[in-house]
C-alpha cells in the first residue's frame, strides 16, 4: 500500500467526507459520484465507517487524566511539584548542594583532626590526635596506628585511577613535582568524594520524584473511581426513580380504569363516556 | 479559576502564558488535557503511557511556550509535541514489542478486556462496551501514520492541512492515509462482527 499516492477522485472523496471542499468542488464531486459507481461505493463505505467511529466515541468513558499544573494541583501558598521541578532545573541546585555537602565534609574532616603529613614514602592523611611516630613504609592503605587512621596516598589508588606519586628521595625538601603529585592526589580524592555525593543526591532525588509521581497517580485513579461511582450511583437512583414512577403511573391508570375483567366471568362492557 | 479565564479565548490565554502568566497556562491546560489524553490513549494503546506522555507534553509546552510564534497554533503545536513524545516511546524496544504483538488475536483480547472493564458499570450498555472496545482494538492495529491521521482528523477535529502541519507531511498525504486507514478499519470491523448500515 502506497500511502503517498491516491487517485485524485479519492482525495476529493476524503475532502468531501470531512466537509473540506468549497461549494464548487463539492458540486464537481457530486457529479463524479453520479458517474462513478466504485467511487460511490467507497463514499458509502467510508461514511458508514465514520458513523461507527463517531458512535464509539460518543459512548466512550471520560478520560482519567488532568494536567498537574501548579495552580490546580497544589494548595494555596505551597509550590507545586511542577514548580519544584522547574526550580530545580533552572537554578541548578543539585551542583550547589553538592558543593555545600563537600564543604560540610571538609569541615567534618577538619574537626576530626584531619591533616596531611609528609613521610619518607610519600604523604599520609591522618585523622585523630597527632603522633610524632612516623607512619611505617609500606603500610596498608588504611590502618589504625596509635589511635589514628592513616590513608597513605603513596599506596592507594584514589578514585579516578590516578595514584599519587611517592615523594622523591630529596631529604627534607619538597620538590615542585612532589607537590604537583600530592595536589593531584588530593584533588582526585576530593573529586571522588564529590562524585559519590552527587550520585547519592541523584539517587535520592529520583526516589523522591518517583514516590511523588506514584502518589499523584494513585490520587488521580482514586478521584476517577470516586467520580465514576458517584455517576453510577446517580444513574442507578434515576433508574430506580423511573421504575417507581412507572409503577405509580401503572397503578394510577389501573385505579382510573377499574379492575381487569375476569377471564372466566366476563363483566359488562363499560359504556362510552361513562368512565367518570 | 477566576472570571477572566472563562471569557478569554485560547489564543489570549496563550499570549498571557507567553508573558509569564502561569495561571493562564493552567486554564489552557484544563481546557485541552481531556481531549489530549483521549488522543494519546488511542495512539499508544494504554492509559499509563498516555498519562506519562501527556504530562510530559504539557510540561514541555509550558517551558517552551515563548518559542511559539503564532498563538493561534497552540493546539497543533501541543499535539505535535505529544506525537513526538509518543513516537519516541514507539521507538523504544518495549513499545516496539507491544506494537508488533497487536495482531488479530490481540485485538480480540483487547476488545474482551475493554468489555470486561466497562461491564463493571451496571449502567453501561453491553453493546456500547463491545463497540468501543472493538473500535479501539481495530484502530490499534493500523500503521502508526494512518492511526495518527485518523485520530487527529476524526476525533480531534483538525483539518487535513493542520494534521499535515502536526505530522510534517502534505495534506494530500494526510488524505491518502485517512482513506486507506478507514478502508482497513471498515474491513476489520466487519471481521469483528460490527455490521452497521453501509459497512
Amino acid at each position: 500500500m502506497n500511502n503517498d499516492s491516491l487517485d485524485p477522485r479519492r482525495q476529493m472523496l476524503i475532502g468531501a467526507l470531512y466537509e473540506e471542499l468549497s461549494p464548487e468542488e463539492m458540486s464537481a464531486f457530486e457529479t463524479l459520484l453520479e458517474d462513478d459507481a466504485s467511487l460511490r461505493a467507497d463514499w458509502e463505505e467510508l461514511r458508514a465507517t465514520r458513523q461507527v467511529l463517531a458512535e464509539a466515541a460518543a459512548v466512550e468513558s471520560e478520560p482519567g487524566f488532568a494536567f498537574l499544573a501548579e495552580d490546580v494541583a497544589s494548595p494555596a501558598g505551597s509550590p507545586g511539584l511542577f514548580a519544584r521541578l522547574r526550580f530545580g532545573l533552572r537554578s541548578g541546585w543539585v551542583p550547589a548542594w553538592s558543593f555545600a555537602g563537600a564543604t560540610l565534609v571538609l569541615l567534618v574532616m577538619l574537626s576530626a583532626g584531619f591533616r596531611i603529613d609528609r613521610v619518607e614514602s610519600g604523604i599520609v592523611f591522618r585523622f585523630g590526635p597527632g603522633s610524632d611516630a612516623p607512619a611505617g613504609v609500606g603500610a596498608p592503605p588504611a590502618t589504625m596506628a596509635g589511635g589514628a587512621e592513616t590513608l597513605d596516598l603513596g599506596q592507594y589508588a584514589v578514585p579516578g585511577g590516578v595514584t599519587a606519586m611517592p615523594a622523591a628521595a630529596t631529604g627534607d625538601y619538597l620538590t615542585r613535582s612532589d607537590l604537583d603529585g600530592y595536589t593531584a592526589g588530593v584533588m582526585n580524592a576530593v573529586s571522588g568524594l564529590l562524585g559519590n555525593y552527587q550520585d547519592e543526591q541523584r539517587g535520592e532525588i529520583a526516589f523522591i520524584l518517583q514516590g511523588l509521581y506514584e502518589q499523584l497517580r494513585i490520587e488521580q485513579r482514586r478521584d476517577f473511581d470516586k467520580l465514576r461511582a458517584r455517576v453510577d450511583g446517580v444513574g442507578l437512583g434515576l433508574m430506580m426513580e423511573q421504575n417507581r414512577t412507572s409503577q405509580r403511573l401503572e397503578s394510577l391508570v389501573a385505579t382510573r380504569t377499574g379492575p381487569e375483567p375476569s377471564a372466566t366471568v366476563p363483566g359488562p362492557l363499560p359504556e362510552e363516556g361513562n368512565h367518570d | 479559576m477566576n472570571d477572566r479565564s472563562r471569557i478569554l479565548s485560547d489564543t489570549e490565554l496563550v499570549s498571557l502564558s507567553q508573558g509569564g502568566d502561569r495561571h493562564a497556562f493552567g486554564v489552557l491546560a484544563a481546557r485541552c488535557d481531556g481531549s489530549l489524553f483521549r488522543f494519546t490513549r488511542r495512539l499508544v494503546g494504554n492509559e499509563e503511557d498516555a498519562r506519562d506522555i501527556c504530562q510530559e507534553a504539557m510540561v514541555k509546552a509550558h517551558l517552551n511556550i515563548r518559542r511559539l510564534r503564532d498563538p493561534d497554533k497552540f493546539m497543533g503545536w501541543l499535539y505535535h509535541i505529544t506525537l513526538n513524545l509518543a513516537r519516541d516511546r514507539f521507538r523504544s524496544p518495549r513499545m516496539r514489542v507491544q506494537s508488533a504483538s497487536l495482531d488479530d488475536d490481540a485485538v480480540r483480547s483487547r476488545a474482551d478486556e475493554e468489555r470486561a472493564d466497562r461491564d463493571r458499570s451496571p449502567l453501561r450498555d453491553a453493546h456500547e462496551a463491545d463497540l468501543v472496545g472493538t473500535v479501539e482494538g481495530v484502530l490499534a492495529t493500523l500503521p502508526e501514520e494512518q492511526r495518527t491521521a485518523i485520530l487527529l482528523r476524526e476525533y480531534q477535529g483538525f483539518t487535513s492541512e493542520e494534521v499535515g502541519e502536526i505530522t510534517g507531511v502534505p495534506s494530500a498525504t494526510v488524505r491518502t492515509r485517512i482513506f486507506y486507514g478507514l478502508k482497513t478499519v471498515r474491513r476489520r470491523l466487519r471481521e469483528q462482527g460490527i455490521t452497521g448500515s453501509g459497512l
Side-chain angles (χ1 to χ4, degrees), chain A residues 228, chain B residues 107-121 124-137 192-194:
Chain A
R228 192 162 75 169
Chain B
V107 173
R108 271 191 288 278
S109 109
R110 186 184 158 79
D112 289 344
E113 278 174 26
E114 292 283 345
R115 200 174 303 139
D117 188 42
R118 284 177 169 80
D119 282 351
R120 273 186 238 138
S121 163
R124 187 81 62 179
D125 183 68
H127 168 71
E128 289 176 353
D130 278 349
L131 182 67
V132 173
T134 308
V135 166
E136 287 198 358
Q192 299 286 318
I194 305 288

Side-chain angles (χ1 to χ4, degrees), chain A residues 43-56:
Chain A
W43 170 252
E44 293 301 332
E45 282 173 5
L46 297 192
R47 270 208 325 182
T49 308
R50 278 200 70 200
Q51 200 177 337
V52 173
L53 295 181
E55 278 174 29

Side-chain angles (χ1 to χ4, degrees), chain B residues 30-175:
Chain B
R31 281 187 189 175
C32 62
D33 56 9
S35 61
L36 185 72
F37 176 69
R38 272 192 292 267
F39 163 74
T40 315
R41 186 180 60 185
R42 287 179 182 127
L43 188 69
V44 300
N46 71 80
E47 293 200 354
E48 292 300 309
D49 284 323
R51 228 174 250 127
D52 289 347
I53 290 168
C54 286
Q55 186 69 21
E56 202 176 337
M58 288 289 193
V59 171
K60 272 197 165 185
H62 187 252
L63 291 177
N64 295 297
I65 198 159
R66 283 190 180 87
R67 295 187 191 168
L68 179 65
R69 288 179 195 161
D70 187 353
D72 284 334
K73 304 222 166 160
F74 172 76
M75 286 297 167
W77 180 67
L78 180 62
Y79 278 83
H80 178 75
I81 293 171
T82 309
L83 191 59
N84 282 342
L85 290 170
R87 280 176 176 164
D88 286 345
R89 290 223 173 194
F90 273 120
R91 283 191 204 108
S92 74
R94 185 172 69 87
M95 287 303 289
R96 271 204 298 273
V97 169
Q98 249 181 39
S99 184
S101 68
L102 277 171
D103 55 7
D104 287 348
D105 287 341
V107 173
R108 271 191 288 278
S109 109
R110 186 184 158 79
D112 289 344
E113 278 174 26
E114 292 283 345
R115 200 174 303 139
D117 188 42
R118 284 177 169 80
D119 282 351
R120 273 186 238 138
S121 163
L123 299 176
R124 187 81 62 179
D125 183 68
H127 168 71
E128 289 176 353
D130 278 349
L131 182 67
V132 173
T134 308
V135 166
E136 287 198 358
V138 165
L139 286 172
T141 63
L142 292 179
E144 189 259 330
E145 67 271 15
Q146 289 180 8
R147 182 163 70 248
T148 304
I150 289 178
L151 293 180
L152 289 170
R153 185 65 192 88
E154 184 71 43
Y155 292 109
Q156 307 308 129
F158 288 108
T159 65
S160 299
E161 294 286 337
E162 288 168 334
V163 176
E165 283 176 17
I166 292 168
T167 55
V169 295
S171 59
T173 306
V174 172
R175 291 195 184 111

